[in-house]
């Protein structure tokens, strides 16, 4: 079996910082330095094999200081999940839940309870068996509604879930990996998936999701050249066992952690690890990716909007204390529980002329609450000291020399603009507020 390459370079605070951003929601102050002291393998395993989850910090509140109502109040489902991202002691588990939310993209199904229930499923299966995750997702109530699984019966087969099961979730587009599946396979899979239904309660909405054998097509199906009286669980086993699945899984999972595709050698080694050595387990593949040279030596990745927001809150030790995050994350391009389509979010749109506004406003929401008053502010603070203070505000994130140079030039220009005696302290206070915002919205903080 081909071994997966392992990173052998320096594992210091900068590398630990990248690990915490890509495999979580960024470091709390001092966390990257502490993690780096563990060394690469122990640091990765502390994320992939954590202790029980604890939520650390103030409980979330709405605009009036009241507890959230995640099942009932508009946007509180998003705030509930964002709070877990901010306060969790197991960030990779929560980050994998977000990954599965994009992978099995499920939009608004008219019930925040069902959406949060699905997020809980993703959290539970975060690093376990992908096959078990697929089985659970297939009869998850939110998914049954979203892709019409609850309307798929022997008398009126519905192909929605059958098609996305193969094209998006497990195999890729037909012929893309050289192993075609046909429209007949889609139709036959739809027949295999028949039988799910639910009731409606005027008080709680859709309820009592269950499998009804009377609605299932128990006839013989032909799927991927195999014949049998296949049911819904067989449909999942057939796609997992399809020879196109391991490669599709590896490529897609890799893309959440590394911006460039894996080499043919790496892909082959990860496929062997996933399919043969660990029988479709997610954790070993994630561990291998997090210890791969491409993870630490490759290009930067743009942080997804909710990761960017959660990371700023973690850096500041601030909890959810405003409902503004609902619209701010939406403007930034990632409204949880409302992906743009069944393919999930387009990471190529994380940063553009439209979504940048949401990121800027998100940073301003945090900086604005901590605005430095001009009264009594130091009149002699140097540009270097001002920048150091602003970086400390964010927990001393890594910035490039180019960014440092630009920020220092700005700090000097702001100081030079203070010509009157009354301006010295006032302009320095304004400079500090501006530096905090400029650091948060710099290319270095937008990427990891």
């Amino acid at each position: 079996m081909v071994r997966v390459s392992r990173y052998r370079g320096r594992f210091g605070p900068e590398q630990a910082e990248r690990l915490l951003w890509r495999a979580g929601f960024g470091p709390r102050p001092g966390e990257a330095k502490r993690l780096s002291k563990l060394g690469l393998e122990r640091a990765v395993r502390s994320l992939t094999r954590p202790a029980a989850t604890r939520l650390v910090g103030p409980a979330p509140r709405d605009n009036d200081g009241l507890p959230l109502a995640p099942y009932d109040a508009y946007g509180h489902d998003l705030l509930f999940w964002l709070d877990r991202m901010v306060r969790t002691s197991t960030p990779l588990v929560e980050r994998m839940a977000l990954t599965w939310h994009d992978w099995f993209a499920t939009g608004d199904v008219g019930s925040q309870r069902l959406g949060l229930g699905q997020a809980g499923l993703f959290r539970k299966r975060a690093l376990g068996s992908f096959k078990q995750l697929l089985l659970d997702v297939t009869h998850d109530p939110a998914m049954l509604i979203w892709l019409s699984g609850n309307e798929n019966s022997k008398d009126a087969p519905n192909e929605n879930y059958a098609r996305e099961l193969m094209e998006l979730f497990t195999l890729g587009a037909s012929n893309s990996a050289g192993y075609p599946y046909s429209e007949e396979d889609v139709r036959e899979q739809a027949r295999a998936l028949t039988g799910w239904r639910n009731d409606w309660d005027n008080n709680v909405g859709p309820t009592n999701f269950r499998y009804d054998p009377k609605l299932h097509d128990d006839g013989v199906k032909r799927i991927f050249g195999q014949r049998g009286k296949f049911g819904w669980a067989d449909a999942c086993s057939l796609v997992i066992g399809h020879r196109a699945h391991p490669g599709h899984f590896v490529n897609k999972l890799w893309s959440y952690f590394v911006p460039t595709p894996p080499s043919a050698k790496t892909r082959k080694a990860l496929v062997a690890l996933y399919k043969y050595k660990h029988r479709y387990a997610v954790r070993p593949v994630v561990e291998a990716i997090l210890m791969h040279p491409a993870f630490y030596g490759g290009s930067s990745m743009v942080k997804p909007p909710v990761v960017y927001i959660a990371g700023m809150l973690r850096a500041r030790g601030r909890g959810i204390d405003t409902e503004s995050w609902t619209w701010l994350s939406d403007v930034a391009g990632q409204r949880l529980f409302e992906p743009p389509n069944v393919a999930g979010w387009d990471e190529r749109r994380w940063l553009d002329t439209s979504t940048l506004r949401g990121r800027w406003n998100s940073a301003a929401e945090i900086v604005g609450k901590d605005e430095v008053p001009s009264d009594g502010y130091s009149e002699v603070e140097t540009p270097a000291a001002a920048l150091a203070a602003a970086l400390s505000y964010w927990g001393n994130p890594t910035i490039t020399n180019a960014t440092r140079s630009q920020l220092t030039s700005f700090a000097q220009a702001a100081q030079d603009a203070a010509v009157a005696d009354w301006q010295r302290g006032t302009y320095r206070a304004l400079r500090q507020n501006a530096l905090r915002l400029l650091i948060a919205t710099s290319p270095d903080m937008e990427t990891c």
Side-chain angles (χ1 to χ4, degrees):
M1 185 180 294
V2 181
R3 294 178 66 100
V4 183
S5 298
R6 179 173 291 198
Y7 176 67
R8 302 296 180 185
R10 177 176 184 268
F11 186 75
E14 184 176 347
Q15 289 74 31
E17 186 178 339
R18 170 172 282 194
L19 176 62
L20 286 165
W21 273 113
R22 292 193 186 179
F25 304 91
R28 295 188 173 101
E31 188 175 8
K33 185 175 182 179
R34 291 192 297 272
L35 190 68
S36 69
K37 293 179 180 179
L38 297 178
L40 175 63
E41 184 168 349
R42 287 178 61 203
V44 168
R45 287 178 177 265
S46 73
L47 297 175
T48 60
R49 302 164 189 263
T53 298
R54 293 178 296 107
L55 298 179
V56 181
R61 301 284 174 173
D62 66 10
N63 289 344
D64 297 318
L66 300 174
L68 299 182
Y71 296 152
D72 304 306
Y74 173 78
H76 283 207
D77 51 347
L78 180 149
L79 299 175
F80 179 87
W81 196 356
L82 182 61
D83 170 68
R84 292 192 65 98
M85 296 175 185
V86 173
R87 294 200 292 146
T88 185
S89 64
T90 55
L92 179 58
V93 171
E94 211 62 48
R95 185 62 184 268
M96 286 305 299
L98 179 62
T99 295
W100 300 134
H101 181 40
D102 182 63
W103 192 304
F104 297 100
T106 305
D108 184 1
V109 295
S111 170
Q112 294 181 186
R113 183 182 297 272
L114 295 186
L116 285 167
Q118 188 186 72
L121 166 62
F122 294 150
R123 192 173 297 119
K124 178 181 178 181
R125 302 296 185 200
L127 291 161
S129 162
F130 185 80
K131 181 176 182 179
Q132 186 60 56
L133 172 61
L134 184 66
L135 286 165
D136 290 345
V137 167
T138 297
H139 64 86
D140 170 72
M143 181 62 79
L144 285 172
I145 293 176
W146 180 241
L147 288 181
S148 311
N150 62 336
E151 300 174 2
N152 184 18
S153 70
K154 63 182 179 181
D155 296 321
N158 187 299
E159 299 175 5
N160 281 357
Y161 185 76
R163 188 175 302 279
E164 307 310 346
L165 171 66
M166 293 186 284
E167 182 169 334
L168 295 176
F169 304 159
T170 59
L171 305 180
S174 180
N175 292 308
S176 65
Y179 308 124
Y181 53 87
S182 66
E183 285 298 310
E184 180 185 3
D185 290 322
V186 175
R187 290 190 291 270
E188 295 293 273
Q189 282 280 37
R191 292 178 60 208
L193 291 160
T194 53
W196 292 98
R197 61 177 295 191
N198 66 277
D199 298 329
W200 179 270
D201 185 300
N202 289 331
N203 294 318
V204 299
T207 186
N208 193 24
F209 289 81
R210 62 198 184 279
Y211 179 77
D212 186 342
K214 296 191 297 294
L215 299 179
H216 175 64
D217 183 338
D218 60 1
V220 174
K221 296 96 178 172
R222 182 179 176 85
I223 302 172
F224 306 146
Q226 302 181 52
R227 291 174 57 84
K229 292 188 175 183
F230 301 126
W232 72 270
D234 299 313
C236 295
S237 295
L238 285 165
V239 293
I240 291 292
H242 194 289
R243 51 184 175 170
H245 169 65
H248 175 77
F249 172 85
V250 164
N251 285 342
K252 190 164 183 175
L253 184 63
W254 174 277
S255 72
Y256 286 98
F257 297 102
V258 184
T260 53
S263 67
K265 180 181 178 181
T266 294
R267 183 175 180 271
K268 181 178 180 180
L270 289 173
V271 163
L273 187 71
Y274 173 65
K275 181 179 179 181
Y276 299 110
K277 188 173 183 179
H278 292 285
R279 299 302 296 171
Y280 310 115
V282 174
R283 179 182 284 108
V285 183
V286 170
E287 289 179 339
I289 293 172
L290 298 184
M291 289 190 276
H292 194 277
F295 185 93
Y296 298 96
S299 303
S300 297
M301 300 182 75
V302 176
K303 298 169 185 173
V306 295
V307 174
Y308 174 69
I309 291 170
M312 288 192 292
L313 291 169
R314 285 170 69 89
R316 292 299 306 145
R318 176 176 166 182
I320 302 302
D321 55 15
T322 173
E323 295 170 68
S324 296
W325 298 119
T326 299
W327 70 265
L328 284 169
S329 63
D330 195 9
V331 174
Q334 193 178 27
R335 170 53 159 99
L336 296 176
F337 304 108
E338 293 186 15
N341 52 58
V342 292
W345 285 277
D346 183 355
E347 69 278 0
R348 295 170 300 178
R349 295 293 307 278
W350 285 150
L351 268 182
D352 59 24
T353 54
S354 174
T355 57
L356 182 60
R357 170 173 164 261
R359 290 172 179 261
W360 182 276
N361 288 342
S362 296
E365 163 62 34
I366 295 176
V367 173
K369 187 172 183 178
D370 300 326
E371 183 175 343
V372 175
S374 58
D375 293 344
Y377 197 83
S378 170
E379 296 185 3
V380 296
E381 183 182 59
T382 65
L387 179 55
L391 287 168
S392 177
Y393 173 85
W394 289 116
N396 292 305
T398 301
I399 61 171
T400 62
N401 290 333
T403 297
R404 185 178 295 275
S405 177
Q406 290 292 321
L407 292 171
T408 301
S409 295
F410 165 78
Q412 183 65 59
Q415 182 171 306
D416 292 344
V419 293
D421 290 345
W422 68 268
Q423 292 175 332
R424 293 193 181 99
T426 299
Y427 279 29
R428 281 172 167 81
L430 293 172
R431 175 178 68 181
Q432 180 59 211
N433 292 323
L435 282 170
R436 293 175 178 183
L437 186 56
L438 289 172
I439 289 169
T441 54
S442 69
D444 303 334
M445 283 281 280
E446 298 281 7
T447 62
C448 59

